[in-house]
């Protein structure tokens, strides 16, 4: 049987501390059709983060320049820093036949949903605010003032979960990964993306 699949754009959001990084890694390790779109950001790299892998770390001036060149599919200020998805990342990766995963905040997700109505959108929820608090404090990647700002922002982000097509609660990592995998698997089979030809 001959078959063709149209590539898809998968938008995943969730507050800081929900476990996005771990879920992303699992999804990408287990499904080679998926690739991650590397965003630009004006925030400084954390220990262990690599330029061009985790983000393209750029200056405010470089960010302004990209804005003027209309280089972004979406962009937003998140936790006091600028972030953006480069159109070129998506074009290049889709040209290779990959399904592109965006890890972006709800402001950016709204822009993508408007411009790319065919995208798949998933919001990752924590089981409780206390769980978010505990995860952010235990991972020790940010100072307490930054953590508190992220926890405050989490409330607003979680309020937008209903805008997404799918909600997944990360209470049990295995279950959350299985649910996200099932969503992506089902979306690949949609008739607007999947064209099997019976010979
Ligand atoms: P972090 O600084 O912890 O890596 O990310 C902070 C937040 O920015 C996360 O919610 C993440 O999803 C969001 N983010 C990362 N890249 C982008 C992007 O390109 N666009 C938007 N709108 N949000 C982003």
């Amino acid at each position: 049987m001959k078959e063709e699949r149209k590539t898809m754009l998968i938008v995943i959001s969730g507050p800081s501390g929900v476990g996005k990084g771990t879920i992303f890694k699992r999804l990408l390790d287990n499904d080679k059709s998926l690739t991650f779109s590397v965003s630009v950001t004006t925030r400084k790299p954390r220990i262990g983060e690599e330029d061009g892998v985790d983000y393209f770390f750029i200056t405010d001036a470089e960010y302004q320049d990209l804005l003027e060149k209309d280089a972004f599919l979406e962009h937003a200020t998140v936790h006091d820093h600028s972030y953006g998805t480069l159109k070129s990342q998506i074009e290049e990766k889709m040209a290779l036949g990959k399904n592109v995963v965006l890890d972006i905040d709800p402001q950016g997700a709204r822009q993508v949903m408007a411009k790319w109505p065919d995208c798949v959108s998933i919001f990752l929820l924590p089981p409780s605010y206390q769980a978010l608090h505990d995860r952010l404090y235990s991972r020790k990647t940010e100072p307490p003032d930054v953590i508190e700002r992220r926890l405050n922002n989490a409330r607003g982000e979680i309020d937008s979960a209903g805008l997404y097509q799918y909600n997944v609660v990360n209470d049990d990592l295995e279950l959350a990964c299985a649910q996200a995998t099932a969503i992506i698997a089902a979306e690949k089979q949609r008739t607007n993306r999947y064209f099997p030809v019976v010979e």
Side-chain angles (χ1 to χ4, degrees):
M1 177 179 289
K2 279 192 204 144
E3 46 182 59
E4 275 179 44
R5 271 202 179 79
K6 206 172 132 206
T7 52
M8 57 185 172
L9 190 61
I10 305 165
V11 177
I12 306 186
S13 303
S16 232
V18 76
K20 261 183 302 183
T22 315
I23 295 177
F24 267 58
K25 190 172 178 326
R26 287 278 195 98
L27 291 176
L28 269 75
D29 282 350
N30 294 337
D31 182 346
K32 296 300 169 200
S33 82
L34 302 179
T35 189
F36 180 65
S37 164
V38 181
S39 292
V40 303
T41 182
T42 59
R43 87 154 160 74
K44 299 279 166 280
R46 296 190 191 115
I47 293 167
E49 281 184 332
E50 248 184 87
D51 188 43
V53 176
D54 299 285
Y55 284 103
F56 295 108
F57 295 99
I58 61 170
T59 61
D60 287 327
E62 286 168 328
Y63 185 83
Q64 279 310 319
D65 190 43
L66 289 168
L67 262 182
E68 277 158 29
K69 288 186 174 138
D70 193 27
F72 295 125
L73 173 65
E74 64 73 37
H75 60 90
T77 302
V78 190
H79 315 307
D80 300 335
H81 297 288
S82 303
Y83 294 81
T85 303
L86 292 169
K87 290 178 186 167
S88 57
Q89 276 283 304
I90 295 170
E91 285 159 11
E92 283 163 23
K93 291 180 170 172
M94 286 201 165
L96 298 172
K98 297 283 192 181
N99 294 311
V100 181
V101 183
L102 305 183
D103 166 2
I104 60 175
D105 88 311
Q107 304 171 71
R110 271 196 199 89
Q111 297 169 42
V112 177
M113 289 174 201
K115 289 186 190 162
W116 205 298
D118 190 24
C119 72
V120 177
S121 56
I122 307 175
F123 194 91
L124 301 174
L125 290 155
S128 65
Y129 285 105
Q130 186 63 45
L132 264 193
H133 173 279
D134 295 349
R135 283 188 207 162
L136 281 175
Y137 274 97
S138 65
R139 77 180 188 191
K140 299 194 179 93
T141 48
E142 291 91 10
D145 60 315
V146 175
I147 294 182
E148 288 304 321
R149 201 171 331 129
R150 290 187 169 219
L151 284 169
N152 281 332
N153 290 349
R155 299 207 172 248
E157 291 182 359
I158 289 171
D159 283 345
S160 38
L163 294 174
Y164 293 70
Q165 293 163 317
Y166 300 97
N167 283 339
V168 169
V169 178
N170 185 16
D171 193 4
D172 169 338
L173 180 65
E174 296 304 325
L175 181 60
C177 288
Q179 288 173 338
T181 301
I183 291 165
I184 294 170
E187 287 287 343
K188 282 185 187 172
Q189 303 304 118
R190 271 192 192 272
T191 49
N192 59 343
R193 302 197 176 94
Y194 180 47
F195 312 102
V197 177
V198 180
E199 288 164 334

